[in-house]
Amino acid sequence: MSVEGEVRRFRKDLKKAKTLSAEHIAGHLPPFSCVRCARCCRGAFGDNTVTVFPGEIRAIMAATGLGWLDVAEPEEAGDEDRYGNRHAFEWALRKRPDGDCIFLEDGRCAIYDVRPFICRTYPFYLEDGRLGHGECDGLRSNEEIERPVAQAMARDLIDR
């Protein structure tokens, strides 16, 4: 897709996200409780690519003292200009050679307080304004998400 096409798509997605109701989304979140298995952070269990926004990268840099390229790398699919320069529209947290997130330490997130939107909202996502979810053992829980937590997650989903 061309640069212009990507920008148009992003603008359309943003416009749609601004019309969503956090209350509505929060009311439709299924029972969920994180079981702290860290499977979502491990490369051995599938694609664990964590797409991050520049503000999220800066927050991680401030919390860790790491540089931009120590924290993130351009997503695989980038555009090249006529001079061979690669332009990234999306950034992803770096991974270790085994595919695990570089911030996974002893089965825990080392940047939990500044973790990206995608980590805060996992396993849920919005697609075309509809709530969906990925595979996660926490969805087997019968534990309802507390209302304030569900509302915060819904706002984060919309912001994401």
Side-chain angles (χ1 to χ4, degrees):
M1 182 179 288
S2 71
V3 173
E4 294 81 15
E6 285 285 321
V7 170
R8 278 193 300 277
R9 185 177 65 82
F10 289 144
R11 285 188 176 144
K12 179 183 170 199
D13 290 348
L14 180 60
K15 186 176 180 180
K16 184 162 192 144
K18 287 180 179 182
T19 67
L20 298 175
S21 162
E23 280 297 318
H24 178 76
I25 293 166
H28 285 85
L29 289 171
F32 172 77
S33 179
C34 180
V35 297
R36 302 202 183 345
C37 64
R39 289 179 78 170
C40 51
C41 306
R42 299 182 192 279
F45 295 102
D47 182 12
N48 65 336
T49 299
V50 175
T51 303
V52 287
F53 295 106
E56 293 173 313
I57 296 169
R58 286 189 212 63
I60 295 167
M61 290 169 55
T64 63
L66 295 172
W68 185 284
L69 293 175
D70 296 319
V71 171
E73 61 188 345
E75 286 268 9
E76 293 280 323
D79 281 347
E80 279 191 23
D81 62 22
R82 65 178 183 219
Y83 304 108
N85 297 312
R86 188 165 165 225
H87 299 274
F89 290 100
E90 295 180 333
W91 291 84
L93 288 185
R94 286 199 170 275
K95 297 179 190 180
R96 292 190 181 103
D98 64 2
D100 289 358
C101 175
I102 62 167
F103 297 108
L104 181 63
E105 295 178 4
D106 298 321
R108 300 274 185 221
C109 179
I111 58 166
Y112 189 83
D113 290 338
V114 293
R115 69 194 186 282
F117 278 121
I118 198 168
C119 301
R120 283 185 268 162
T121 58
Y122 189 82
F124 304 107
Y125 60 87
L126 294 174
E127 188 168 325
D128 292 327
R130 290 186 302 268
L131 180 65
H133 61 79
E135 291 183 35
C136 179
D137 290 344
L139 288 167
R140 294 190 183 102
S141 167
N142 290 325
E143 193 174 320
E144 292 292 327
I145 302 172
E146 293 180 17
R147 193 75 182 155
V149 174
Q151 290 170 328
M153 184 174 287
R155 285 189 298 274
D156 284 345
L157 281 164
I158 291 169
D159 288 345
R160 179 176 139 196

